[in-house]
Amino acid sequence: MRRIFFSALMLASALFAAPAAAEIRIIQSPGGQVGPFLDLFEKVRQSGERVVIDGPCLSACTLVLSIVPGERICVTKRAVLGFHAARSVDRRGRVYAEPEASDAVLQAYPGPVRDWISRRGGLSSRLLLLKGRDLAAIYPRCR
């Protein structure tokens, strides 16, 4: 089993820091820039490994749901998925909304996740947390 602690700086190297195994375990990820997460989760998808979400998987980390097949994802009781609208930062450090990117991300999520987000008002600057029974209704508990 591989245990991965994602941080903005460790993201790209985390996958390659551990020996090959049958699963990837997400124990904490605050998110970060989308590109490295897309690359990482594409490698995970190609590997055939199972993803165990075993803690907070926030923001860009939730892209795992769009890339790795749902039958290869399971959650523990500590799992929390956090969703918000896409945003960018300009050269002056100002944050601004990216509505087209938010729409694209929302459409890429599996239907049950997309429906859960929509029932809570959709993606916005507010963080939506999917956990507990709501999460277990969408993804199986890990065994």
Side-chain angles (χ1 to χ4, degrees):
M1 166 184 42
R2 238 188 286 192
R3 296 192 110 194
I4 297 177
F5 172 82
F6 289 115
S7 73
L9 299 176
M10 295 175 24
L11 175 63
S13 64
L15 179 63
F16 303 106
E23 68 184 32
I24 302 294
R25 184 171 295 264
I26 299 172
I27 58 173
Q28 182 176 357
S29 175
Q33 291 191 5
V34 169
F37 280 91
L38 293 174
D39 294 342
L40 175 65
F41 293 141
E42 180 57 29
K43 286 178 176 68
V44 172
R45 186 189 67 74
Q46 291 175 6
S47 77
E49 292 179 308
R50 178 173 82 146
V51 174
V52 175
I53 302 175
D54 189 23
C57 176
L58 310 177
S59 191
C61 178
T62 64
L63 294 171
V64 68
L65 308 176
S66 302
I67 298 171
V68 175
E71 63 271 9
R72 289 192 6 229
I73 297 173
C74 67
V75 298
T76 70
K77 63 184 177 184
R78 291 179 294 276
V80 178
L81 300 174
F83 306 91
H84 63 79
R87 55 189 180 227
S88 292
V89 180
D90 67 17
R91 291 183 177 175
R92 293 183 176 170
R94 293 179 297 207
V95 177
Y96 59 95
E98 292 277 9
E100 296 84 12
S102 294
D103 290 343
V105 167
L106 184 61
Q107 291 309 309
Y109 286 132
V113 173
R114 194 170 49 243
D115 293 345
W116 182 90
I117 292 169
S118 295
R119 286 192 306 270
R120 280 147 188 85
L123 295 175
S124 69
S125 60
R126 186 186 69 184
L127 187 64
L128 297 175
L129 298 177
L130 174 56
K131 58 187 176 178
R133 289 184 181 158
D134 286 345
L135 180 55
I138 298 173
Y139 288 97
R141 292 281 187 193
C142 302
R143 298 181 191 260

